[in-house]
Amino acid sequence: MTPWDSFLTEQDRAVLTRGRFGRRMGFGRRPAVVVIDAQRYMVGESGNDAAWPSSCGEVGRQAVACIARVVRAAQARAVPCFFTRFELDPEGTDIGVYGLKRDLLHSPHWCLAGTPGAQLVPELVPGPHDIVFVKKKPSGFHGTPLLGYLLDRQIDTVVIVGGATSNCIRATVFDASSYNLRAIVPQEAVFDRIPISHAISLFDMDRQFADVVPLQQVLDHLDMRQDESATP
Amino acid sequence: MTPWDSFLTEQDRAVLTRGRFGRRMGFGRRPAVVVIDAQRYMVGESGNDAAWPSSCGEVGRQAVACIARVVRAAQARAVPCFFTRFELDPEGTDIGVYGLKRDLLHSPHWCLAGTPGAQLVPELVPGPHDIVFVKKKPSGFHGTPLLGYLLDRQIDTVVIVGGATSNCIRATVFDASSYNLRAIVPQEAVFDRIPISHAISLFDMDRQFADVVPLQQVLDHLDMRQDESATP
Amino acid sequence: MTPWDSFLTEQDRAVLTRGRFGRRMGFGRRPAVVVIDAQRYMVGESGNDAAWPSSCGEVGRQAVACIARVVRAAQARAVPCFFTRFELDPEGTDIGVYGLKRDLLHSPHWCLAGTPGAQLVPELVPGPHDIVFVKKKPSGFHGTPLLGYLLDRQIDTVVIVGGATSNCIRATVFDASSYNLRAIVPQEAVFDRIPISHAISLFDMDRQFADVVPLQQVLDHLDMRQDESATP
Amino acid sequence: MTPWDSFLTEQDRAVLTRGRFGRRMGFGRRPAVVVIDAQRYMVGESGNDAAWPSSCGEVGRQAVACIARVVRAAQARAVPCFFTRFELDPEGTDIGVYGLKRDLLHSPHWCLAGTPGAQLVPELVPGPHDIVFVKKKPSGFHGTPLLGYLLDRQIDTVVIVGGATSNCIRATVFDASSYNLRAIVPQEAVFDRIPISHAISLFDMDRQFADVVPLQQVLDHLDMRQDESATP
């Protein structure tokens, strides 16, 4: 059962069947992992989330453990990992219209450049094949060199992990599939601060733009690649 | 009350308050209307939706009436309207990875180039200030000249209408706000084939990327502009 | 000898050597052909160029014959060809700032939509693997679905032909190499209305962003691919 | 007389007249300055250019003085300045296909991250309205947040300075005008390592995509803005 099954009506299921939505994309030939905003401000700290204004709380911390498994599995097979960090200038020069929807929060626990909140979570350690870069907008592709990095490595499949599911994951999935890259989302490795937004975003992505799959399936795929490359 | 209030828990509301989400962007100085995929395949026909595989049904047809009001109000004040048409080659040459999630549907009632399904709904009549263009991906900006059209007219605010809320509207809103354009979504003028996807997408967009507002508020704003321009 | 050798000084050659410019990119694994604006308005008609305001004249017509050879060679091996057409609305709604540099020319022999000038030259016949699309700006990538088409086919190398060398070819080469695609320019298959702009643009591109090579080298490469695929 | 007049033939001039090329764009309402790659590796050091593999030499150093005048004039009127820095990873992870045209130069005097060569020239001091950002490709727009910064400030005109004229200036001008921004290039404030590439690129840009103007004209325009704003 998927995380969204319980939210659908019979009428919804009939609509999906009629339109033949939600086939499987599957993995292509060459994957990369894109880790979206796995930063301290996104996951706060246990017992003290009230001090972290954008923390996704316990679900975020659990997802980080899953993200770390994906990253380590990729690194073991030289599958490149790209880490975005969402970071804003404390003076507000680069927040743009987002500053009209959110207050610029003057907190060391938000995503301001130079604060602890903006750091990658310590569980994730970029390796020699990996690149970390800053983004200013939800999608990991928007205003960043990510697409060029992927093309240079002839990547055709992106495993997208991190958070939040309904914001930056969703925007990154839209862009990936719009560039005709296959998008795979291991469901335990993405997280959101609003449970229903998380569940319905997974559903919406899986229906049209990405394969939302159990974490184990992604780990198995990466493991299998290792076995293949070991075969003469 | 918003279309999403009933879906939120007390915990969700506390999270929103803590993070200070969901302020109002407001209109800027110069708006345009972007009409997303208001095509016959999206709204089917009354009593015969079973023959239209992607029809959003009655909610789509009701939204079209609201879209037409927005378009006419804009046209009356020379506010430009940009209409996207989502259209795919019947041979599948341009469907890309979307062809892995959906079957290419060989139906005159889907979005294939040259079929009735791909036409704009007859209720919408582009005017002399308007442009109609084809897109191949969810966002009205992706792989299209839309951004240049907006910049040429010094647009800072886009009123986004059409469907489906959780797919193409959502992707277009992400891109608009990522380009630092203000995004306004009149809630009766967008539609989706899945009710919960519609409601939660409205919520997700309103929280971070767009103002989701009653239709009347957009109509009033456009009317007010007329009054202003009539003043010497 | 290259088309630009005669324009360089000893000092220029020393600068190039010191900076180690101009290595060969070479072909990658999977090429496509991108034909830029090979339209009637670009090449006019023999003996009557005065009636075609943007005609590149005889050099354009000679290049068209070479472009046709590249296209036929590609089509013979199922290498996809993408044809851009530069086309503007006769009412000027989509010309943008270009309308500040050029007059909108009310001529059936310029690039206005619906006029003979905007048609592809008759020597080029798109095949079943090919796509023709409209662009509004110099680069074949800007505001078009081209990049997605290339990614969908896992293209890593683009053979760029058409005109004009110093405008649309140059812009397309910048974008191709910025997306980390290998760019190959067969020098007889590009053309320009200003000879020195043609020669120096070839030089500038070859130094940093593309391999500018003799036509025969591209034809040979395409032929070789055929031989390879015929081998069991 | 322009820097390119001496290179054109009578035939060239007739072609330009026939096609009505090269009108003036003029300044729009709100300008910004974009400073491209005004870094130490681009201008070397007097008497020691042999040790700086990409140095443009004395012409670069003279242009830097002009760039500094533009920047100070802009800063005096709160016109925002955006500075790009071209910077590559010393391990080659982000050089992409450019690494096929150029060797990755293991020199502290090239553009490697963390080396002196990658620093902004000391003559340029970003102010409180300014933003410095890294780019990986020729255009200041490609894979960077620049476009969003400009839209957020409702910029309609970009004054483009820096180097090299035939590479990064040219690519940035293509993108600016493709986004329908007016592009102004003060000719003494751009520079190139190859004199003829510089002259012909100025010509090519002025003909179609930008106004190439004397430095003084840009300084006067910025001064005039100050006078206007001081007028009640």
Side-chain angles (χ1 to χ4, degrees):
Chain A
M1 193 176 119
T2 67
W4 55 83
D5 273 345
S6 65
F7 294 101
L8 301 184
T9 65
E10 280 314 297
Q11 167 70 6
D12 295 337
R13 290 179 218 281
V15 164
L16 298 178
T17 301
R18 170 161 56 92
R20 291 150 79 183
F21 290 92
R23 290 171 53 186
R24 297 296 88 191
M25 275 186 169
F27 277 84
R29 289 179 309 104
R30 195 177 296 210
V33 175
V34 176
V35 183
I36 299 292
D37 300 358
Q39 293 162 264
R40 295 181 60 194
Y41 86 96
M42 287 289 285
V43 299
E45 67 188 308
S46 186
N48 195 24
D49 280 320
W52 296 76
S54 279
S55 174
C56 297
E58 193 53 33
V59 295
R61 295 185 288 271
Q62 287 173 6
V64 162
C66 298
I67 296 167
R69 293 181 64 191
V70 173
V71 166
R72 285 193 304 261
Q75 289 170 337
R77 288 136 193 93
V79 166
C81 299
F82 300 92
F83 298 79
T84 69
R85 291 198 306 109
F86 179 66
E87 180 173 285
L88 294 173
D89 173 28
E91 303 303 321
T93 61
D94 58 11
I95 193 170
V97 296
Y98 188 53
L100 301 172
K101 292 304 287 184
R102 290 286 296 276
D103 283 309
L104 182 67
L105 305 172
H106 294 288
S107 160
H109 294 157
W110 200 43
C111 56
L112 300 179
T115 66
Q119 298 168 355
L120 280 188
V121 295
E123 290 86 345
L124 301 180
V125 183
H129 298 283
D130 301 342
I131 297 185
V132 182
F133 59 92
V134 168
K135 70 180 176 64
K136 298 291 178 188
K137 296 298 171 186
S139 168
F141 291 91
H142 195 96
T144 78
L146 176 58
L147 185 63
Y149 294 157
L150 299 177
L151 269 68
D152 188 40
R153 290 154 179 80
Q154 290 161 29
I155 301 301
D156 62 359
T157 305
V158 283
V159 175
I160 299 174
V161 298
T165 314
S166 66
N167 300 324
C168 299
I169 297 295
R170 182 97 173 238
T172 304
V173 162
F174 272 129
D175 279 351
S177 70
S178 293
Y179 287 122
N180 285 328
L181 300 166
R182 295 165 191 240
I184 311 284
V185 177
Q187 64 202 32
E188 299 94 328
V190 292
F191 58 98
D192 200 291
R193 55 185 67 79
I194 307 286
I196 196 169
S197 294
H198 175 74
I200 301 302
S201 268
L202 289 179
F203 164 61
D204 291 341
M205 293 189 290
D206 186 71
R207 186 164 32 116
Q208 296 255 63
F209 308 114
D211 288 357
V212 176
V213 298
L215 172 65
Q216 194 57 50
Q217 191 171 317
V218 170
L219 297 174
D220 288 349
H221 178 84
L222 291 169
D223 282 346
M224 178 201 67
R225 293 181 62 85
Q226 186 182 44
D227 293 342
E228 281 181 355
S229 67
T231 308
Chain B
M1 192 174 122
T2 68
W4 55 83
D5 273 344
S6 64
F7 294 101
L8 301 184
T9 66
E10 280 313 299
Q11 167 68 8
D12 295 337
R13 289 179 218 281
V15 165
L16 298 178
T17 301
R18 170 161 57 89
R20 291 152 79 183
F21 289 91
R23 290 172 53 187
R24 296 296 90 190
M25 277 185 169
F27 277 84
R29 289 179 309 102
R30 195 176 297 209
V33 175
V34 176
V35 184
I36 299 293
D37 299 358
Q39 293 161 263
R40 294 181 61 193
Y41 86 96
M42 288 288 285
V43 299
E45 66 188 310
S46 186
N48 194 25
D49 280 320
W52 295 78
S54 279
S55 174
C56 297
E58 194 53 34
V59 295
R61 295 186 287 270
Q62 287 173 5
V64 163
C66 298
I67 296 167
R69 292 181 65 191
V70 173
V71 166
R72 285 193 304 261
Q75 288 170 336
R77 289 134 194 95
V79 166
C81 299
F82 301 92
F83 298 80
T84 69
R85 290 198 307 108
F86 179 65
E87 180 174 285
L88 295 172
D89 174 27
E91 303 303 320
T93 61
D94 57 12
I95 192 170
V97 297
Y98 187 52
L100 301 171
K101 291 305 287 185
R102 290 286 294 278
D103 283 308
L104 182 67
L105 306 171
H106 295 288
S107 160
H109 294 159
W110 201 43
C111 56
L112 299 180
T115 65
Q119 298 168 355
L120 280 188
V121 294
E123 291 86 345
L124 301 180
V125 183
H129 299 281
D130 302 342
I131 298 185
V132 182
F133 59 93
V134 168
K135 70 182 180 59
K136 297 291 179 187
K137 295 298 172 185
S139 167
F141 291 91
H142 194 96
T144 78
L146 177 58
L147 186 62
Y149 294 158
L150 299 177
L151 270 69
D152 187 40
R153 290 154 178 79
Q154 293 166 24
I155 302 301
D156 61 0
T157 305
V158 281
V159 175
I160 299 174
V161 297
T165 314
S166 66
N167 300 324
C168 299
I169 296 294
R170 183 95 173 242
T172 304
V173 162
F174 271 130
D175 278 352
S177 70
S178 293
Y179 286 122
N180 285 327
L181 301 166
R182 295 166 190 238
I184 312 285
V185 177
Q187 65 201 32
E188 298 95 327
V190 292
F191 59 98
D192 200 289
R193 56 185 66 78
I194 306 285
I196 196 168
S197 294
H198 175 74
I200 301 302
S201 268
L202 289 179
F203 165 61
D204 290 342
M205 293 189 288
D206 185 70
R207 185 163 35 113
Q208 297 254 64
F209 308 114
D211 289 356
V212 176
V213 299
L215 171 66
Q216 193 58 49
Q217 192 171 318
V218 169
L219 297 174
D220 288 349
H221 177 84
L222 291 170
D223 281 346
M224 178 200 68
R225 294 181 61 84
Q226 187 183 41
D227 293 343
E228 282 181 357
S229 67
T231 309
Chain C
M1 193 174 120
T2 67
W4 55 84
D5 273 345
S6 63
F7 294 101
L8 301 184
T9 66
E10 281 313 298
Q11 168 70 8
D12 294 339
R13 290 180 217 282
V15 164
L16 297 178
T17 301
R18 170 160 57 90
R20 292 152 78 183
F21 289 92
R23 290 172 52 186
R24 297 296 89 190
M25 276 185 170
F27 278 83
R29 290 179 308 102
R30 195 176 295 208
V33 175
V34 176
V35 184
I36 299 292
D37 300 357
Q39 293 162 265
R40 295 182 61 193
Y41 85 97
M42 288 289 284
V43 299
E45 66 189 310
S46 186
N48 194 25
D49 281 321
W52 295 77
S54 279
S55 174
C56 297
E58 193 53 34
V59 297
R61 295 185 288 269
Q62 287 174 6
V64 163
C66 298
I67 296 167
R69 293 181 64 192
V70 173
V71 166
R72 285 192 304 261
Q75 289 170 336
R77 289 132 193 97
V79 166
C81 299
F82 301 92
F83 298 79
T84 69
R85 289 198 309 109
F86 178 66
E87 181 174 285
L88 295 173
D89 174 27
E91 303 302 320
T93 60
D94 57 11
I95 192 171
V97 296
Y98 187 53
L100 302 172
K101 292 303 286 185
R102 289 289 294 278
D103 283 308
L104 182 69
L105 306 172
H106 294 287
S107 160
H109 294 158
W110 200 43
C111 57
L112 299 180
T115 65
Q119 297 169 357
L120 279 188
V121 294
E123 290 86 346
L124 302 179
V125 182
H129 299 281
D130 302 342
I131 298 184
V132 182
F133 59 92
V134 168
K135 69 182 179 60
K136 298 292 178 187
K137 296 296 173 187
S139 168
F141 292 91
H142 194 95
T144 77
L146 177 57
L147 186 61
Y149 294 157
L150 299 177
L151 270 69
D152 187 40
R153 290 154 178 81
Q154 294 167 22
I155 301 301
D156 61 1
T157 304
V158 282
V159 175
I160 299 173
V161 298
T165 315
S166 66
N167 300 324
C168 299
I169 296 294
R170 183 96 173 241
T172 304
V173 162
F174 272 129
D175 279 352
S177 71
S178 293
Y179 287 121
N180 285 328
L181 301 167
R182 295 165 192 239
I184 312 285
V185 177
Q187 63 202 34
E188 298 95 328
V190 293
F191 59 98
D192 200 291
R193 56 184 67 78
I194 307 284
I196 196 168
S197 293
H198 175 74
I200 302 302
S201 267
L202 289 179
F203 165 60
D204 291 341
M205 292 189 290
D206 186 70
R207 188 164 31 115
Q208 297 253 66
F209 308 114
D211 289 357
V212 176
V213 300
L215 172 64
Q216 194 57 50
Q217 192 172 316
V218 169
L219 297 175
D220 287 348
H221 178 84
L222 292 170
D223 281 346
M224 179 201 69
R225 293 182 61 85
Q226 186 183 41
D227 294 342
E228 281 181 354
S229 66
T231 310
Chain D
M1 194 173 119
T2 67
W4 55 84
D5 273 345
S6 64
F7 294 101
L8 301 184
T9 66
E10 281 312 299
Q11 167 70 8
D12 295 338
R13 289 180 219 281
V15 164
L16 298 178
T17 300
R18 171 161 56 92
R20 292 152 79 182
F21 290 92
R23 290 172 53 184
R24 297 296 89 190
M25 276 184 168
F27 278 84
R29 290 180 308 102
R30 195 175 296 208
V33 175
V34 176
V35 184
I36 299 292
D37 299 359
Q39 293 163 263
R40 294 182 61 194
Y41 86 97
M42 288 288 285
V43 299
E45 68 188 307
S46 186
N48 195 25
D49 280 321
W52 296 76
S54 279
S55 174
C56 297
E58 193 54 33
V59 297
R61 296 185 287 271
Q62 287 174 6
V64 163
C66 298
I67 296 167
R69 291 181 65 191
V70 173
V71 166
R72 286 193 303 261
Q75 289 170 336
R77 288 135 192 94
V79 166
C81 298
F82 300 92
F83 298 80
T84 69
R85 289 197 311 107
F86 179 65
E87 181 174 283
L88 295 173
D89 173 28
E91 304 303 320
T93 60
D94 56 12
I95 193 170
V97 296
Y98 188 53
L100 301 172
K101 292 303 287 183
R102 290 286 295 276
D103 283 309
L104 182 68
L105 305 172
H106 295 287
S107 160
H109 294 158
W110 200 42
C111 56
L112 300 179
T115 66
Q119 297 168 356
L120 279 188
V121 294
E123 290 86 344
L124 301 180
V125 183
H129 299 282
D130 302 342
I131 298 185
V132 182
F133 59 92
V134 168
K135 70 183 179 57
K136 298 291 179 189
K137 296 298 174 186
S139 167
F141 291 91
H142 194 96
T144 77
L146 177 58
L147 186 62
Y149 294 158
L150 298 177
L151 270 68
D152 188 40
R153 289 153 180 80
Q154 290 163 26
I155 301 300
D156 61 0
T157 305
V158 282
V159 175
I160 300 174
V161 297
T165 315
S166 66
N167 300 325
C168 299
I169 296 294
R170 183 97 172 240
T172 305
V173 162
F174 272 130
D175 279 351
S177 70
S178 293
Y179 287 122
N180 285 328
L181 300 167
R182 295 166 191 237
I184 312 284
V185 177
Q187 65 201 32
E188 299 95 328
V190 293
F191 59 98
D192 200 290
R193 56 185 67 79
I194 307 285
I196 197 168
S197 293
H198 175 74
I200 302 303
S201 267
L202 290 179
F203 165 61
D204 291 341
M205 292 189 290
D206 185 71
R207 187 165 30 117
Q208 296 255 64
F209 308 115
D211 289 355
V212 177
V213 299
L215 171 66
Q216 194 58 50
Q217 192 171 318
V218 170
L219 297 175
D220 288 349
H221 178 84
L222 292 169
D223 282 346
M224 179 200 68
R225 294 182 60 86
Q226 187 182 42
D227 294 342
E228 281 180 355
S229 66
T231 309

